[in-house]
């Protein structure tokens, strides 16, 4: 995990290796039935075409806290979208999330780059705590078929 900050372009980068196929990892990133199992009950919704909206819903679909627009979708190698936060720190413009998937034998290297934050971003602070838990849970879920106990890692990332 790396958080880098230059004067005008702060970013967060996280790399993990998952024993799975690119296709299965792609499905886990883009299908709501998967995301709700490793992302605290959040279901992603999108048609995944460039320009299409993307939304993450939780609380059985009654609440939304992340919205954006698909920027690039090249299954199963690259997915990029804007990331607008719809709660507490939502006064910031949307940032950008990019997932890059590279097959390596029986594994896939997943690189997440979250960038285009404003200087002194509160959203960057939040995702720097959130992404490691989300992606660890994704890895655990794909490799074991069971997610981590969400409440445990969620509380650990809050400190």
């Amino acid at each position: 995990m790396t958080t880098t900050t230059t004067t005008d372009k702060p970013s967060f980068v996280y790399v993990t290796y998952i024993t799975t196929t690119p296709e299965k990892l792609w499905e886990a990133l883009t299908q709501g039935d998967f995301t709700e199992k490793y992302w605290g009950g959040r279901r992603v919704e999108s048609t995944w075409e460039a320009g299409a909206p993307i939304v993450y819903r939780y609380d059985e679909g009654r609440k939304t806290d992340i919205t954006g627009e698909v920027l690039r979708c090249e299954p199963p190698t690259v997915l990029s979208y804007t990331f607008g936060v719809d709660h507490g720190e939502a006064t910031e413009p949307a940032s950008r999330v990019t997932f890059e998937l590279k097959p390596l034998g029986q594994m896939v290297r997943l690189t997440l780059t979250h960038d285009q934050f404003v200087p002194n971003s509160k959203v960057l602070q939040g995702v720097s705590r959130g992404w490691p838990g989300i992606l660890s849970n994704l890895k655990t879920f794909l490799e074991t078929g069971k997610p981590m106990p969400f409440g445990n890692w969620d509380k650990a990332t809050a400190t």
Side-chain angles (χ1 to χ4, degrees):
M1 164 179 59
T2 305
T3 302
T4 57
T5 305
T6 61
T7 308
D8 56 311
K9 299 217 179 199
S11 66
F12 176 84
V13 178
Y14 191 92
V15 179
T16 189
Y17 296 82
I18 304 173
T19 305
T20 191
T21 64
E23 293 79 13
K24 193 71 168 175
L25 179 52
W26 185 266
E27 188 176 355
L29 293 170
T30 61
Q31 299 299 313
D33 289 344
F34 273 94
T35 60
E36 74 178 344
K37 293 176 181 157
Y38 68 83
W39 198 330
R42 283 169 181 78
R43 292 182 61 89
V44 67
E45 297 174 4
S46 183
T47 62
W48 302 112
E49 298 168 359
I54 178 173
V55 62
Y56 284 87
R57 297 185 190 282
Y58 66 103
D59 196 13
E60 297 182 5
R62 291 188 294 267
K63 297 180 182 175
T64 299
D65 63 349
I66 301 165
T67 59
E69 179 181 311
V70 176
L71 301 172
R72 187 172 167 201
C73 184
E74 299 173 17
T77 59
V78 179
L79 177 63
S80 184
Y81 53 86
T82 60
F83 187 95
V85 178
D86 295 336
H87 54 80
E89 59 265 10
T91 58
E92 297 179 21
S95 50
R96 178 179 63 189
V97 171
T98 303
F99 294 101
E100 296 174 284
L101 291 69
K102 181 175 182 182
L104 299 169
Q106 295 181 344
M107 296 185 299
V108 178
R109 181 179 68 209
L110 174 62
T111 303
L112 163 79
T113 303
H114 196 148
D115 59 5
Q116 297 186 351
F117 294 100
V118 297
N120 303 311
S121 172
K122 290 181 182 177
V123 174
L124 174 59
Q125 293 172 13
V127 301
S128 295
R129 291 188 311 268
W131 278 125
I134 293 164
L135 296 178
S136 293
N137 205 16
L138 168 62
K139 175 180 171 61
T140 298
F141 179 70
L142 286 172
E143 292 180 345
T144 69
K146 297 177 185 175
M148 297 184 305
F150 183 81
N152 293 342
W153 69 260
D154 187 40
K155 290 175 185 163
T157 61
T159 58

